[in-house]
Amino acid sequence: MRFWCESAWVDDAVARDVLVEAADGVIAAVTVGAPRDGAERLGGLVLPGFANAHSHAFHRALRGRTHGDGGTFWTWRTGMYALAQRLEPDSYLALARAAYAEMAIAGVTCVGEFHYLHHATGGRAYADPNAMGEALRQAAAEAGVRLTLLDTCYLAGGIGEPLNETQLRFGDTSASQWASRVAVFKEDANTRVGGAIHSVRAVPRSSLAEVAAGVAADRPLHVHLSEQPAENVACQAAYGLTPTELLHDAGVLSPRTVAVHATHLTAHDIKLLGGTGTGACFCPTTEADLADGIGPARELVDAGSPLSLGSDQHAVVDPILEARALEHGERLRTGSRGRFTLAELMTASTSAGHAALGWPSAGKIAVGAPCDLVQVRLDSPRTAGSLPEQTLLSASSSDVDTVINSGAVVARGGRHERLGDVGKLLKDAIEGLWA
């Protein structure tokens, strides 16, 4: 496989006339200033594959149904719980396949699924206790994206509270039972398995270390952290610690750990996260939609936390827009422009996200990386006249043309090569759930 790129993002900069040669889905050579010489031409700007480091696939069915009535994160959650009650493995497969296909045509080549919808209604185990996870595995494979299944431990309905009726679908009886169930789910060439602590609300202090130990040391461990001030208040009241301090006290923070949202942090929290090399995954469009707030992204990076990006509830599926929203949030928060360099935004969108999901060689156009290429048009009404290096600040996912994952073409011209019309897939899956 040989692809000639009119321009491409190589070594943190835009290079011209780049020949990418691949074998068995892996980049074997990258030559800058090369003639086309019969290789497939990719015009515009070619970027590495994007990583969506935080996804709840089933939330995609909430888009356009939960945004217009005011309320708070907590009232939004009520609608999300209602949706969770409607899903079974077959309908989850259809919805997740469509959601992942939408990501694929937007240039996402790997998704981290923060997966907590485990059981049947009432908490009953399916015949295959990982039936919902298997639906996600199949969905990702059919949509042409790599999957990191972040199987999520969920033991309590809040600090000191039992699981409610809906949460029984999320919960396991103990950390050890959770770990035993996850151990049955095996990796394959397209799937890696990590773990997650849903939050300090959902996993008691006494179980945090056991959950962390239940995830292999070379696999990622993610956690929702301080998304809402109410979480911080409850944690302080129960333990006398912030959620970050509680996780640090339990030995959870480490370079393989990723704190998702990390919105309402103290200066000491930032120091703890950065000092342990714990990553931070921001989801700017979701955090805006749910009125979560704007987290201290620049301070976290400066403290030593690698930054990645996710689409979370999928109110928007557009990795280019997530990067721009990250920078715009910083500008609104501080009154200063250029809080992140273009190279830093690209890293958060690509290589750092893949590393956070346990695929450290991905997310770059370099020898040894998976051959993941995303062609972005530079002649659209949005990008015409833009400098190629500023594409993340002018383009959108509508400008993504050809998407290649591990050397295979997944999408062209906004249409999925395998699944066809993604809009119809989404419509059929979602309207069936709400009928």
Side-chain angles (χ1 to χ4, degrees):
M1 296 169 284
R2 301 167 72 246
F3 303 96
W4 183 84
C5 311
E6 189 175 55
S7 60
W9 188 264
V10 179
D11 295 331
D12 287 337
V14 174
R16 298 283 299 180
D17 302 336
V18 178
L19 180 65
V20 179
E21 300 176 85
D24 298 322
V26 176
I27 296 175
V30 178
T31 307
V32 176
R36 180 178 174 186
D37 194 25
E40 180 175 346
R41 179 183 180 276
L42 299 176
L45 175 65
V46 176
L47 305 175
F50 295 111
N52 185 347
H54 188 69
S55 163
H56 300 296
F58 78 92
H59 291 191
R60 176 59 183 84
L62 297 170
R63 186 192 295 176
R65 295 173 178 267
T66 62
H67 314 303
D69 298 327
T72 66
F73 168 88
W74 306 102
T75 54
W76 167 87
R77 191 177 71 162
T78 300
M80 182 268 284
Y81 282 176
L83 170 64
Q85 292 288 65
R86 296 168 179 258
L87 286 157
E88 297 295 341
D90 287 347
S91 57
Y92 201 15
L93 169 60
L95 177 59
R97 178 171 51 218
Y100 292 157
E102 183 182 11
M103 295 178 203
I105 65 175
V108 171
T109 54
C110 184
V111 59
E113 184 62 34
F114 200 102
H115 169 53
Y116 57 83
L117 186 51
H118 300 307
H119 308 299
T121 54
R124 294 176 294 103
Y126 290 107
D128 175 354
N130 288 306
M132 297 295 262
E134 289 294 348
L136 293 168
R137 184 207 300 268
Q138 182 179 343
E142 293 180 6
V145 298
R146 286 187 293 277
L147 172 70
T148 296
L149 188 79
L150 299 162
D151 197 290
T152 304
C153 187
Y154 201 123
L155 303 176
I159 296 175
E161 298 177 10
L163 297 170
N164 66 30
E165 183 179 355
T166 301
Q167 292 167 336
L168 290 171
R169 297 201 69 177
F170 311 157
D172 291 293
T173 57
S174 65
S176 59
Q177 194 275 333
W178 165 81
S180 296
R181 179 179 55 74
V182 177
V184 177
F185 195 96
K186 301 303 182 184
E187 297 186 336
D188 58 39
N190 197 64
T191 310
R192 292 190 177 168
V193 180
I197 294 165
H198 179 274
S199 60
V200 299
R201 304 189 313 274
V203 177
R205 181 180 193 171
S206 58
S207 297
L208 290 171
E210 186 176 358
V211 175
V215 181
D218 63 343
R219 288 294 177 257
L221 174 66
H222 290 212
V223 54
H224 288 138
L225 179 68
S226 291
E227 182 178 4
Q228 287 289 317
E231 176 181 297
N232 292 1
V233 171
C235 190
Q236 284 279 8
Y239 305 120
L241 299 168
T242 69
T244 302
E245 290 168 341
L246 182 66
L247 293 173
H248 183 262
D249 186 62
V252 172
L253 304 184
S254 74
R256 59 91 172 246
T257 307
V258 175
V260 180
H261 302 305
T263 306
H264 301 283
L265 304 178
T266 67
H268 187 235
D269 292 340
I270 294 170
K271 183 177 180 181
L272 288 176
L273 292 167
T276 55
T278 298
C281 178
F282 276 42
C283 306
T285 61
T286 285
E287 289 147 9
D289 179 68
L290 297 180
D292 288 343
I294 302 173
R298 180 73 260 175
E299 290 86 341
L300 282 163
V301 171
D302 290 344
S305 291
L307 188 64
S308 55
L309 293 168
S311 65
D312 194 354
Q313 61 149 335
H314 318 308
V316 177
V317 171
D318 187 335
I320 297 173
L321 183 58
E322 296 291 350
R324 187 152 67 247
L326 174 69
E327 168 64 19
H328 286 177
E330 281 289 301
R331 294 181 185 190
L332 290 169
R333 186 174 70 90
T334 66
S336 299
R337 302 178 81 206
R339 295 281 290 172
F340 288 100
T341 67
L342 296 166
E344 286 177 319
L345 291 175
M346 189 66 71
T347 295
S349 302
T350 57
S351 58
H354 289 281
L357 297 177
W359 304 84
S361 65
K364 61 196 80 170
I365 300 176
V367 173
C371 186
D372 297 350
L373 306 175
V374 178
Q375 177 194 11
V376 181
R377 291 178 53 193
L378 297 180
D379 60 353
S380 78
R382 291 159 297 278
T383 59
S386 296
L387 296 172
E389 59 268 23
Q390 294 195 21
T391 297
L392 284 184
L393 301 179
S394 62
S396 77
S397 62
S398 297
D399 302 309
V400 171
D401 189 278
T402 301
V403 179
I404 295 164
N405 191 327
S406 297
V409 176
V410 174
R412 289 188 193 274
R415 185 176 178 83
H416 201 283
E417 287 284 282
R418 307 176 193 175
L419 299 177
D421 185 347
V422 174
K424 185 177 187 305
L425 285 178
L426 287 162
K427 182 176 184 293
D428 291 347
I430 294 168
E431 290 187 353
L433 286 171
W434 293 114

